[in-house]
Amino acid sequence: MTRHRHWLKTTLGLLLTAIMLFPVYWMINVSFTRPEHMRKSPPDWFPVDGTLDGYRTVLHDQLPYLGTSLFVGIGTVVLTVVVSAPAAYSLAKLNPRGGRALSFVLLVAQMIPGIIMAMGFYAIYLNLGLLNTVGGLIVADSTLAVPFAVLIFTTFMTGIPDEIMQAAKVDGAGPWRTFRSVVLPVSRNATITVSLFAFLWAWSDFVYASTLDSGGNQRPITLGIYHYIGNNNQEWNAIMATAVVASIPATILLVLAQRYVAAGVTSGAIKD
Amino acid sequence: MTAYLLAFFAYPLYRNLDLSLRDYTVRSFVQGGAPFTGWANYAKVLGDPAFGPALTHTVVFTVVSLTFQFVIGLALAVFFAKSFRLSATLRALFLVPWLLPLIVSASTWSWLLNSDSGVVNAALRMLGVDPVNWLTSPQWSLVSVIIANIWIGVPFNLVVLYSGLRSIPAQLYEAAQLDGANGWQQFWRVTFPLLRPVSAITLLLGLVYTLKVFDLIWIMTRGGPSDSSTTFATWSYRLSFGNLLPAFGPGAAVGNLLIVMALIAGLVYIRAQKRQYEP
Amino acid sequence: MKRKRNLVKGWAVKQTASRRRAVGVALVALVAAGALVACSSEDKTGASGDGGTYTIWDPYPQFDDSSNWVKLLNDCGSKAGVTVKRTAFDTSDLTSKTLLAAQQGNAPDVLIVDNPVISTLAEAGVLTTSDDIKLDTSAIDPNLLGAGQSGGKTFGIPIGANTLALYYNKTVLTAAGVDIASVKDWASLTAALAKVTAAGKKGITFSAIGTEEGSFQFLPWFWGSGANLTKLDSPEAVSALSLWTDWLKKGYAPNSVINNTQTTSWQEFATGQYAFAENGTWQLANAKKTGFEYGIIAVPGISGGTAAAPTGGEFVSVPVQKSTARYAVSQKLVACLTDTDNSLATTTTLSYIAPTAAVQAKQVAANPELKVWVDAVKAAKGRTGDNLGTKYPKISQPMWTAVQAALSGSASPQAALATAQTAAAAATK
């Protein structure tokens, strides 16, 4: 490929990303806007004569929430992978009894409305004393990602050639060792995908947080936003500013993770 | 794994069934003792004049969203698969919409599409086109929520399909190139067939998630005006929670109809999968 | 054989160690930071008392632990000799949260909740009556207390009240040559809107969103026409809906009202382009920040006079507990929250009008601007009053649906309200 085409692609990529992120830009724009200009017609394309009030409020109120959200997000990722990768491995390669039925149940499980799940959790947690704990929230958030994770892992693991598993077996590895030293490393792409979504879901979850953790001392940022949604009034610049502030650390994490993947995949190409 | 499933999914599923088969009032919801009424809630929902339009909207919303999400997601995945300067960073940035709490992204969309002060109408006016009442006219409200939903769904399709692409061995492309296949032929002969399992699961999951979407629609239009953007998911929510007086029974019944729709899709998927393995 | 083993090795990922370590360290650091921050945010509200912990739920998430509201809660707790644990919910969430908690026997000791919800919770058997816990409600204005009464029993005390009126922009009206004193009924209001629009400004903004908020905003016009909630398709009701529909058609009101919340509608007014906005007591503080001169008039009736606006605001109530021994303290907490001095402080914080004549007098003495609002609250009417109780939600939903249908042009006001009446009659049968 010529250098010229390279640049063409980068430009096109930048353009596509810009289109995709326009609503995000608009959110940033609103976060700087004074309340009296918010519904100006026609609207301002740039936050001229803006205000930093939204950010001042947010930095003052929201930083602790941010920490909790990160913690919950990463906890959810770990729990999801730990639960779903072995399950998917056995579904994909060990052909357990009722495996097909299980993946079917997983699919249906995802259709249960979040609020109904939350009501169920509320009853269980109240009895277990897990209400308003971060651990409880992590477990609840993992249920958002686990069915997805198992299905994705299964799809990818089914594609692993049987020969390499055979090879491991011949080398004297049991199913567990095969899983650890062959299947897991090979499933990097799937693992990263699953981790990404587990993190994103946990990060943006609202229903569970509000039902299970609203009385807790450590609340995630999605609940922090409710600071600015009073019963009669909403402070939109602060709401948008919260969303901006909240997405910065997570965006950095995503970009880092993506580079990590890119590097890993190139060095892990199949060689024969 | 089975224990995890039983503990966390079976109980809520049972609750939803139970809610839909009894005549719950707010009183019996709290105090217990709601009479068992069998299919009465379902009969009520099916006989509701809102049922027909809600079904149509659900199908249109799901099919249109899914098609565009998948096509755009696949195109972007293929585009990003060849690495170029900034490709990894830009791909990561595509996920930013998912970091935003839905209340924020949905509100931003209603901001953009506002009839009077929205930037979309401002742009249309600049181009000399008549502004459109995106969210407040029965003709456009469904279109508007579909556009927003496609925007939200593209990153999901992009990421899953992208990792699917990365799992296709590079030698196959080299071989195809040696055989003189051009880019387009490579896509149809190599990429597309090998991506089939991942595509199938992406579409299936996408279907399930799209059927479920309610907060986006709820925040943007409340399912209105006059039910023109009501889907089963928003209808279920409105029955159960969108009113001062919750109607849990019919709400759960509508929710279960959605589960049945997903079940059918799941069955189709499993049959298709079987056929793939037994040619 | 050998070949296969190579294959395995080839598949396994060879990752440069340093990069992996770097990202790993970053992740660990993040987790640690998260844990640290999470721990350091440990909540330390509430003076400790010996009487145990009492929970209070309120719909004021905008107030954090340093606010006067939370200080008041804690003070009332220490006076009663207990620790107060307060949780704030989004108002639309609070009903379902309370029902769920009550179902599991975990309801709070004191609940502050939006007034039309009281009848629903009372119906569910979640709330105690004022007889059970011996609350004195004699000083409360009867029209405000009405929303908390059902079947001859009282289920709570208003903590403060608000209602709707018309804010107007003096600059816009003067420029268009409208004298606000001429606006006395619907015809003169519409004439004023016509003048303002002709002068290149915008007429009026309100909220007609498809939720309870939309019904709340429509009710002053509905009641102002002489219509009654038991008959949604009366000619009076049709005239009210036609008024709104015509405003939209003629461009006196923006099309966005169909989707406006009361906040959005207020933001439109705050641009300084609109002559009128229908909005609530709680915007008074924001009105001062707009930078233009404003005034307030009551919503006019169809042929003059003041239309009854619906009452808004929250009620303090005491949910049913397994251990009735807790009521004694809960009663003290409620009495403390609603006593004269505290009521003045609370209503000032919330920008509400007090529910008792004594405190209202103090409010007006401190801020004469509130006079118009005190009068509006006195003329206001509870939504669940008229013995509607839990029938109100079943009427309100068809009503806001009809408003949306008519404004968006998918049905005529007459047809929309006829459909609404059929639906409401079927639901309240």
Side-chain angles (χ1 to χ4, degrees):
Chain A
M1 203 182 297
T2 63
R3 233 192 146 62
H4 181 69
R5 276 195 67 188
H6 239 79
W7 278 108
L8 209 69
K9 283 208 145 185
T10 307
T11 318
L12 187 60
L14 279 170
L15 195 72
L16 290 172
T17 316
I19 295 172
M20 187 69 190
L21 293 188
F22 182 74
V24 178
Y25 166 72
W26 202 253
M27 176 190 88
I28 297 171
N29 188 6
V30 172
S31 71
F32 285 111
T33 308
R34 288 171 194 281
E36 60 266 31
H37 292 156
M38 279 188 185
R39 296 292 168 176
K40 228 174 103 181
S41 172
D44 289 325
W45 289 78
F46 305 100
V48 281
D49 185 27
T51 169
L52 287 172
D53 278 357
Y55 286 88
R56 238 168 264 142
T57 325
V58 167
L59 290 177
H60 178 254
D61 297 341
Q62 300 284 354
L63 286 181
Y65 295 121
L66 211 56
T68 313
S69 269
L70 274 180
F71 188 72
V72 170
I74 292 168
T76 307
V77 168
V78 172
L79 184 62
T80 304
V81 173
V82 166
V83 171
S84 54
Y89 169 57
S90 78
L91 276 181
K93 288 297 174 194
L94 306 180
N95 293 321
R97 255 163 184 269
R100 213 172 273 268
L102 191 64
S103 25
F104 197 60
V105 170
L106 281 170
L107 196 73
V108 178
Q110 298 190 84
M111 272 317 289
I112 307 171
I115 190 95
I116 296 287
M117 293 279 293
M119 280 160 68
F121 274 118
Y122 185 87
I124 299 171
Y125 278 19
L126 187 67
N127 295 324
L128 295 179
L130 284 174
L131 220 50
N132 300 331
T133 61
V134 172
L137 188 57
I138 291 178
V139 172
D141 279 343
S142 78
T143 60
L144 291 171
V146 163
F148 163 81
V150 173
L151 291 173
I152 289 287
F153 269 130
T154 311
T155 311
F156 278 81
M157 286 176 182
T158 313
I160 300 173
D162 280 334
E163 319 149 54
I164 61 168
M165 321 260 300
Q166 288 292 332
K169 213 173 182 179
V170 171
D171 284 356
W176 177 239
R177 246 203 79 196
T178 316
F179 170 70
R180 234 184 41 217
S181 50
V182 180
V183 177
L184 258 197
V186 164
S187 312
R188 278 178 60 97
N189 274 322
T191 313
I192 293 292
T193 310
V194 162
S195 308
L196 273 179
F197 283 106
F199 182 80
L200 292 172
W201 275 318
W203 186 264
S204 56
D205 158 69
F206 173 72
V207 172
Y208 287 159
S210 119
T211 310
L212 305 173
D213 196 28
S214 47
N217 296 328
Q218 296 150 27
R219 278 168 287 171
I221 192 117
T222 35
L223 290 187
I225 285 181
Y226 272 68
H227 253 306
Y228 311 117
I229 304 182
N231 47 344
N232 292 312
N233 228 332
Q234 294 107 43
E235 290 175 52
W236 277 106
N237 53 13
I239 293 172
M240 298 301 193
T242 310
V244 174
V245 170
S247 37
I248 290 168
T251 307
I252 294 172
L253 206 66
L254 280 185
V255 172
L256 276 182
Q258 283 282 0
R259 306 199 129 201
Y260 180 55
V261 189
V265 170
T266 15
S267 59
I270 315 159
K271 301 200 178 77
D272 194 278
Chain B
M1 183 62 212
T2 319
Y4 181 95
L5 269 179
L6 278 180
F8 296 125
F9 292 102
Y11 180 69
L13 197 59
Y14 160 76
R15 283 274 316 157
N16 214 30
L17 259 180
D18 179 67
L19 276 174
S20 72
L21 295 177
R22 287 172 193 275
D23 180 24
Y24 273 99
T25 60
V26 277
R27 185 168 196 92
S28 50
F29 179 79
V30 174
Q31 317 285 353
F36 185 82
T37 51
W39 302 103
N41 283 324
Y42 291 89
K44 195 172 164 191
V45 163
L46 287 170
D48 197 299
F51 180 82
L55 178 65
T56 321
H57 298 153
T58 309
V59 172
V60 172
F61 179 80
T62 311
V63 170
V64 177
S65 299
L66 212 55
T67 314
F68 279 92
Q69 284 171 3
F70 183 78
V71 171
I72 298 175
L74 183 59
L76 286 170
V78 171
F79 176 73
F80 280 114
K82 302 263 165 58
S83 71
F84 51 88
R85 193 174 258 279
L86 289 181
S87 64
T89 310
L90 291 181
R91 211 175 56 238
L93 286 179
F94 259 74
L95 282 171
V96 170
W98 276 62
L99 286 174
L100 308 174
L102 212 65
I103 177 168
V104 171
S105 38
S107 303
T108 307
W109 272 99
S110 38
W111 219 287
L112 293 169
L113 297 174
N114 186 292
S115 306
D116 297 283
S117 57
V119 68
V120 174
N121 275 348
L124 288 182
R125 252 180 242 127
M126 262 160 57
L127 297 172
V129 182
D130 273 345
V132 173
N133 291 326
W134 294 102
L135 300 171
T136 52
S137 66
Q139 298 84 3
W140 285 99
S141 61
L142 191 62
V143 177
S144 308
V145 292
I146 289 177
I147 294 174
N149 190 53
I150 293 171
W151 178 78
I152 293 209
V154 162
F156 172 80
N157 285 270
L158 165 65
V159 170
V160 181
L161 292 172
Y162 176 81
S163 32
L165 283 182
R166 302 301 296 206
S167 310
I168 298 175
Q171 305 97 305
L172 287 179
Y173 288 105
E174 285 160 25
Q177 231 158 12
L178 281 180
D179 288 348
N182 61 26
W184 192 242
Q185 284 168 329
Q186 277 180 40
F187 177 79
W188 283 111
R189 301 271 163 77
V190 182
T191 315
F192 204 68
L194 283 176
L195 208 57
R196 253 184 53 189
V198 177
S199 303
I201 195 79
T202 312
L203 281 172
L204 185 69
L205 287 170
L207 177 85
V208 169
Y209 298 144
T210 314
L211 282 175
K212 240 178 120 167
V213 168
F214 94 87
D215 12 19
L216 178 80
I217 305 180
W218 186 255
I219 293 166
M220 287 177 68
T221 67
R222 302 316 198 268
S226 23
D227 284 349
S228 56
S229 55
T230 295
T231 63
F232 277 173
T234 56
W235 193 23
S236 167
Y237 181 82
R238 194 182 68 204
L239 286 167
S240 303
F241 302 100
N243 189 309
L244 292 170
L245 193 68
F248 293 113
V254 176
N256 285 338
L257 289 180
L258 274 178
I259 297 184
V260 169
M261 289 172 88
L263 264 171
I264 296 170
L267 282 173
V268 171
Y269 169 76
I270 286 189
R271 288 209 52 171
Q273 220 184 12
K274 245 191 191 156
R275 222 177 313 140
Q276 216 172 1
Y277 290 128
E278 298 148 18
Chain C
M1 192 58 243
K2 186 118 198 223
R3 192 165 168 266
K4 275 191 180 156
R5 274 167 86 176
N6 279 340
L7 192 69
V8 176
K9 273 195 195 144
W11 266 81
V13 181
K14 281 180 234 141
Q15 176 63 42
T16 43
S18 62
R19 187 186 277 271
R20 176 184 285 174
R21 211 175 295 134
V23 176
V25 168
L27 283 181
V28 169
L30 273 174
V31 174
L36 265 179
V37 177
C39 291
S40 62
S41 71
E42 193 83 7
D43 194 355
K44 288 190 189 69
T45 47
S48 62
D50 304 317
T53 302
Y54 278 70
T55 49
I56 300 185
W57 288 4
D58 68 50
Y60 310 130
Q62 70 269 36
F63 296 132
D64 64 13
D65 292 343
S66 59
S67 64
N68 288 334
W69 167 247
V70 177
K71 278 187 194 134
L72 173 65
L73 292 180
N74 288 333
D75 287 349
C76 285
S78 15
K79 267 187 213 153
V82 295
T83 309
V84 166
K85 169 110 180 62
R86 173 254 188 179
T87 306
F89 289 90
D90 175 48
T91 188
S92 59
D93 258 359
L94 190 53
T95 316
S96 50
K97 289 286 141 53
T98 307
L99 287 173
L100 186 57
Q103 184 196 43
Q104 301 297 329
N106 194 33
D109 292 291
V110 174
L111 174 69
I112 296 154
V113 69
D114 198 13
N115 72 77
V117 175
I118 290 280
S119 63
T120 301
L121 294 179
E123 164 77 18
V126 172
L127 301 179
T128 58
T129 68
S130 59
D131 300 339
D132 296 341
I133 44 166
K134 298 177 187 62
L135 284 175
D136 180 17
T137 56
S138 55
I140 310 287
D141 285 355
N143 68 324
L144 298 178
L145 199 58
Q149 288 170 322
S150 129
K153 289 190 176 119
T154 306
F155 292 92
I157 298 186
I159 194 155
N162 59 54
T163 192
L164 295 167
L166 294 180
Y167 287 81
Y168 62 88
N169 183 327
K170 287 186 182 166
T171 324
V172 172
L173 286 184
T174 316
V178 175
D179 177 12
I180 190 66
S182 73
V183 178
K184 288 201 164 73
D185 52 19
W186 290 4
S188 52
L189 176 59
T190 306
L193 295 179
K195 273 191 180 174
V196 170
T197 319
K201 292 287 181 178
K202 291 168 183 171
I204 184 168
T205 167
F206 46 88
S207 153
I209 192 170
T211 61
E212 182 56 33
E213 226 173 329
S215 286
F216 185 66
Q217 288 245 325
F218 182 59
L219 274 172
W221 311 95
F222 184 84
W223 281 333
S225 73
N228 194 300
L229 281 171
T230 48
K231 193 159 168 47
L232 289 177
D233 57 349
S234 65
E236 290 84 8
V238 172
S239 69
L241 187 49
S242 302
L243 179 74
W244 270 19
T245 313
D246 289 344
W247 284 351
L248 243 74
K249 269 192 205 140
K250 293 185 179 141
Y252 298 167
N255 182 276
S256 56
V257 295
I258 301 172
N259 225 6
N260 271 0
T261 63
Q262 298 187 82
T263 303
T264 319
S265 158
W266 180 260
Q267 287 167 344
E268 290 181 342
F269 182 65
T271 58
Q273 299 291 307
Y274 287 81
F276 292 94
E278 182 188 359
N279 226 305
T281 325
W282 58 87
Q283 296 292 11
L284 209 52
N286 291 328
K288 295 197 173 71
K289 293 185 208 152
T290 51
F292 54 77
E293 277 203 73
Y294 66 93
I296 299 157
I297 54 166
V299 176
I302 184 164
S303 44
T306 297
T311 50
E314 283 74 42
F315 268 60
V316 196
S317 59
V318 177
V320 173
Q321 302 292 334
K322 275 189 209 119
S323 143
T324 49
R326 296 181 78 81
Y327 294 153
V329 174
S330 306
Q331 190 262 335
K332 277 187 203 163
L333 290 173
V334 175
C336 173
L337 288 174
T338 52
D339 81 10
T340 311
D341 291 340
N342 289 337
S343 177
L344 183 61
T346 310
T347 46
T348 310
T349 314
L350 292 168
S351 195
Y352 280 6
I353 298 301
T356 59
V359 186
Q360 283 166 2
K362 284 190 182 182
Q363 283 187 290
V364 176
N367 180 3
E369 233 188 339
L370 289 174
K371 178 82 172 69
V372 59
W373 286 110
V374 169
D375 292 343
V377 164
K378 281 196 176 132
K381 199 165 148 178
R383 278 166 279 177
T384 52
D386 290 346
N387 234 341
L388 287 175
T390 49
K391 279 185 191 161
Y392 171 73
K394 295 175 183 163
I395 298 170
S396 173
Q397 180 172 330
M399 183 165 74
W400 82 56
T401 312
V403 170
Q404 290 241 306
L407 295 188
S408 66
S410 51
S412 71
Q414 172 78 59
L417 285 168
T419 315
Q421 177 57 29
T422 316
T428 53
K429 206 166 33 189

